[in-house]
C-alpha cells in the first residue's frame, strides 16, 4: 500500500513560527512510515532547515510585513498582486502534481490574500480531505472576529474544510469561541495538545558557543523581527546587575534588523563574559535542551520547546499588533507552566534582573501535572489515519 500523501500549506509572511510548526508535523507524520509530505512555504530560510526522509519543501516567493501592518513582496520590483498570483500558481501546480490525500492549511483558511482559494476548489473536486490547523491562540476575540470576516475565513471554513485541529488545550484557550464557525464545527474540532519537540541529531560540523558548556540562560527572540524589546531588557538587566549568577546566551534570530544587532553586540562586548550572542541556530532545540532556563517572548513554537524540554522559563510576550503571546503567557503562568513579565508594567532592569536571579529556583512545567499537555503529534497521526480510513464518506459535495 502506498504512503498517504499530505500537503501542508504554510504562508510564512513573518518570522519562523508557521514553518517550524509545519515542519514538526510533517517530520512526525513521515516518521510513522505511512505518510509522504510536502510543505509549501514562503519562508526565506526554508532551505536552512533539515527535513525527515519523506518530507520535501516547495518555496513560493516571499512577502514581508511593513511597520504599518501592510505587506510587500521581497522583490521590490514586483507588485504585491503579481507576487500573490505567482504564489497561488505554484501552490496549485504543486497540488496538481502531488495529488494529496490530505491538505493541512496552517492558520489562514483562504491563504495569504486568498491565494489558496483556487487550490481549495481544485482539491474539493477530487475529494481530498482538508483540515485547518490552528495554534492554541490566534488573537484577542474582539480583534479576531472582524479579521476573519474581512478575509472571508468563516465562509471558506464552511465550504472547504472537513476538520479543525487546534494545537493546544481548551483549558488554556479556545481560539474559535468568538467566531461564527465555532458552534458549527464543534463536533469537527479536535484539541490535539501541544506538539512535543525533540532535539535533532547534531550536524557533524555543528559548533556551539563556549557558554553552552556550562550552566546558562538561553534568551531567544524567535525569528527576531520583533524581538528588540526582549533583547534590550535582558541586556539592560546584566548591565545593571553584573552579579546575576548564570550567564546569558542571546539568540537574535535571522530577522533582527542589522542595525539593532550591531548595537546589541556593542553593548554585549562592554558587559564581558556574562552575556554572549549568536544570530541564528536552525538546531536551537539542542541549545534549549542544555539551558538551565529560558527567557522568551512566548511564541507558539518556543512554548512547545519549553514544555517538551521541561525548562524553567520567563515569558516576555509582545502585546502588539496581536495579543496572542500575552494570552498564552498569562494562561501559562496561571497554570504554573512559566513566569510572565510584562513590558507594560515598565521595562525596569532591576525587575528583569530579579526574574533572572529567581529563574533557577522556579518549578519546572512538569510539576503542573496537566494531562495530555504534549500529546499533539500522536493525536494528529490518529486523525490522519481516521480521515484516510473514512475517505469514501467524506465526499466534499456532501459538506454543509
Amino acid at each position: 500500500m502506498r504512503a498517504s500523501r499530505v500537503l501542508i500549506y504554510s504562508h510564512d509572511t513573518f518570522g519562523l513560527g508557521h514553518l517550524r510548526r509545519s515542519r514538526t508535523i510533517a517530520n512526525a507524520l513521515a516518521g510513522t512510515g505511512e505518510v509522504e509530505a510536502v510543505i509549501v512555504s514562503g519562508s526565506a530560510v526554508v532551505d536552512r532547515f533539515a527535513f525527515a526522509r519523506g518530507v520535501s519543501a516547495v518555496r513560493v516567493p516571499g512577502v514581508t510585513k511593513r511597520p504599518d501592518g501592510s505587506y510587500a513582496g521581497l522583490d521590490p520590483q514586483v507588485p504585491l498582486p503579481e507576487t500573490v498570483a505567482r504564489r497561488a500558481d505554484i501552490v496549485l501546480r504543486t497540488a496538481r502534481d502531488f495529488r494529496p490525500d490530505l491538505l493541512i492549511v496552517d492558520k489562514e483558511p483562504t491563504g495569504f490574500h486568498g491565494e489558496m482559494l483556487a487550490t481549495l476548489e481544485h482539491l474539493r473536486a477530487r475529494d481530498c480531505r482538508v483540515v485547518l490547523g490552528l495554534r492554541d491562540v490566534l488573537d484577542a476575540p474582539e480583534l479576531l472576529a472582524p479579521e476573519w470576516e474581512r478575509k472571508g475565513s468563516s465562509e471558506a471554513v464552511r465550504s472547504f474544510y472537513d476538520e479543525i485541529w487546534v494545537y493546544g488545550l481548551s483549558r488554556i484557550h479556545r481560539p474559535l469561541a468568538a467566531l461564527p464557525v465555532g458552534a458549527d464545527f464543534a463536533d469537527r474540532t479536535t484539541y490535539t495538545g501541544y506538539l512535543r519537540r525533540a532535539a535533532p541529531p547534531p550536524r557533524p560540523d555543528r559548533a556551539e558557543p563556549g557558554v553552552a558548556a556550562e550552566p546558562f540562560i538561553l534568551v531567544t527572540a524567535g525569528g527576531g523581527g520583533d524581538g528588540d524589546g526582549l533583547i534590550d531588557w535582558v541586556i539592560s538587566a546584566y548591565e545593571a546587575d553584573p552579579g546575576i549568577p548564570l550567564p546569558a546566551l542571546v539568540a537574535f534570530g535571522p530577522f533582527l534588523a542589522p542595525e539593532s544587532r550591531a548595537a546589541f553586540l556593542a553593548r554585549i562586548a562592554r558587559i564581558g563574559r556574562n552575556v554572549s550572542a549568536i544570530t541564528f541556530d536552525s538546531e536551537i532545540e539542542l541549545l534549549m535542551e542544555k539551558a538551565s532556563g529560558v527567557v522568551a517572548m512566548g511564541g507558539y513554537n518556543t512554548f512547545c520547546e519549553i514544555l517538551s524540554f521541561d525548562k524553567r522559563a520567563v515569558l516576555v510576550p509582545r502585546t502588539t499588533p496581536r495579543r496572542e503571546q500575552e494570552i498564552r503567557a498569562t494562561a501559562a503562568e496561571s497554570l504554573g507552566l512559566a513566569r510572565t513579565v510584562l513590558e507594560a508594567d515598565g521595562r525596569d532592569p532591576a525587575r528583569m534582573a530579579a526574574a533572572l536571579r529567581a529563574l533557577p529556583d522556579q518549578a519546572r512545567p512538569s510539576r503542573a501535572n496537566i494531562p495530555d499537555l504534549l500529546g499533539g503529534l500522536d493525536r494528529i497521526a490518529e486523525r490522519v489515519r481516521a480521515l484516510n480510513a473514512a475517505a469514501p464518506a467524506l465526499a466534499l459535495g456532501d459538506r454543509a
Side-chain angles (χ1 to χ4, degrees):
M1 185 176 68
R2 75 166 176 85
S4 173
R5 294 174 182 162
V6 178
L7 180 63
I8 301 177
Y9 165 80
S10 177
H11 67 288
D12 296 300
T13 59
F14 186 72
L16 297 173
H18 304 287
L19 171 61
R20 294 186 65 211
R21 181 165 56 248
S22 297
R23 170 179 171 258
T24 297
I25 292 169
N27 285 351
L29 290 175
T32 66
E34 303 169 4
V35 169
E36 178 184 356
V38 171
I39 300 173
V40 178
S41 169
S43 174
V45 295
V46 64
D47 57 350
R48 295 171 68 177
F49 287 89
F51 296 94
R53 182 184 298 246
V55 180
S56 58
V58 173
R59 185 179 171 190
V60 297
V63 296
T64 186
K65 183 183 289 187
R66 292 167 168 160
D68 64 1
S70 65
Y71 291 91
L74 292 182
D75 183 347
Q77 304 303 315
V78 181
L80 182 61
E82 185 175 336
T83 298
V84 173
R86 291 181 184 179
R87 286 166 59 103
D89 181 63
I90 292 172
V91 177
L92 180 57
R93 282 191 283 113
T94 301
R96 285 173 171 162
D97 293 343
F98 185 52
R99 299 177 62 200
D101 303 294
L102 171 66
L103 169 67
I104 302 174
V105 175
D106 186 74
K107 184 182 177 289
E108 295 288 346
T110 65
F112 176 70
H113 283 218
E115 68 186 4
M116 279 298 292
L117 290 172
T119 296
L120 289 166
E121 289 280 3
H122 168 72
L123 294 179
R124 171 173 182 159
R126 61 177 304 270
D127 292 346
C128 173
R129 279 82 65 210
V130 183
V131 169
L132 177 63
L134 301 176
R135 65 185 181 228
D136 58 342
V137 184
L138 295 174
D139 203 346
E142 67 273 14
L143 300 176
L144 183 61
E147 177 184 336
W148 268 48
E149 178 67 25
R150 183 177 71 254
K151 294 179 177 179
S153 297
S154 297
E155 180 181 349
V157 169
R158 293 192 185 94
S159 299
F160 298 115
Y161 288 85
D162 295 295
E163 296 190 3
I164 297 175
W165 298 344
V166 179
Y167 307 132
L169 295 179
S170 59
R171 67 182 297 183
I172 289 182
H173 191 69
R174 293 179 176 267
L176 299 179
L179 299 175
V181 297
D184 299 348
F185 268 73
D187 60 341
R188 283 182 276 177
T189 298
T190 297
Y191 285 85
T192 67
Y194 290 91
L195 309 181
R196 186 183 294 277
R197 308 301 169 90
R203 298 186 310 271
D205 61 344
R206 179 175 175 80
E208 290 186 344
V211 68
E214 302 291 339
F216 72 100
I217 295 172
L218 177 65
V219 181
T220 172
D226 53 2
D228 294 64
L230 168 67
I231 296 169
D232 173 72
W233 200 358
V234 170
I235 293 175
S236 296
Y238 280 90
E239 289 170 334
D241 185 355
I244 294 172
L246 293 181
L249 172 61
V250 180
F252 290 140
F255 304 123
L256 181 71
E259 58 272 19
S260 295
R261 183 168 60 248
F264 289 142
L265 286 172
R267 292 169 62 188
I268 287 171
R270 290 192 291 271
I271 292 173
R273 63 186 303 272
N274 272 359
V275 183
S276 56
I278 58 174
T279 295
F280 175 62
D281 188 343
S282 64
E283 300 173 322
I284 199 168
E285 297 93 343
L286 294 168
L287 293 175
M288 182 82 71
E289 189 175 45
K290 291 181 177 180
S292 299
V294 177
V295 180
M297 295 170 65
Y300 180 83
N301 291 286
T302 302
F303 186 60
C304 287
E305 290 160 355
I306 288 167
L307 300 180
S308 299
F309 298 118
D310 202 22
K311 293 299 174 179
R312 302 173 174 95
V314 174
L315 302 181
V316 188
R318 71 163 187 249
T319 57
T320 59
R322 296 188 181 276
R323 290 185 52 215
E324 166 219 342
Q325 293 181 359
E326 179 189 11
I327 293 169
R328 180 181 300 114
T330 301
E333 183 171 60
S334 70
L335 293 173
L337 297 171
R339 177 178 178 180
T340 295
V341 181
L342 297 176
E343 289 187 80
D345 297 328
R347 200 185 295 171
D348 178 8
R351 192 156 62 96
M352 177 58 71
L356 297 174
R357 284 180 170 276
L359 184 55
D361 297 321
Q362 280 183 211
R364 295 182 182 273
S366 59
R367 294 287 299 275
N369 292 317
I370 298 176
D372 302 318
L373 183 64
L374 286 164
L377 295 176
D378 291 337
R379 186 66 174 138
I380 289 169
E382 290 173 5
R383 291 309 309 150
V384 170
R385 294 189 191 103
L387 286 171
N388 285 336
L394 286 174
L396 283 160
D398 296 335
R399 290 179 188 161

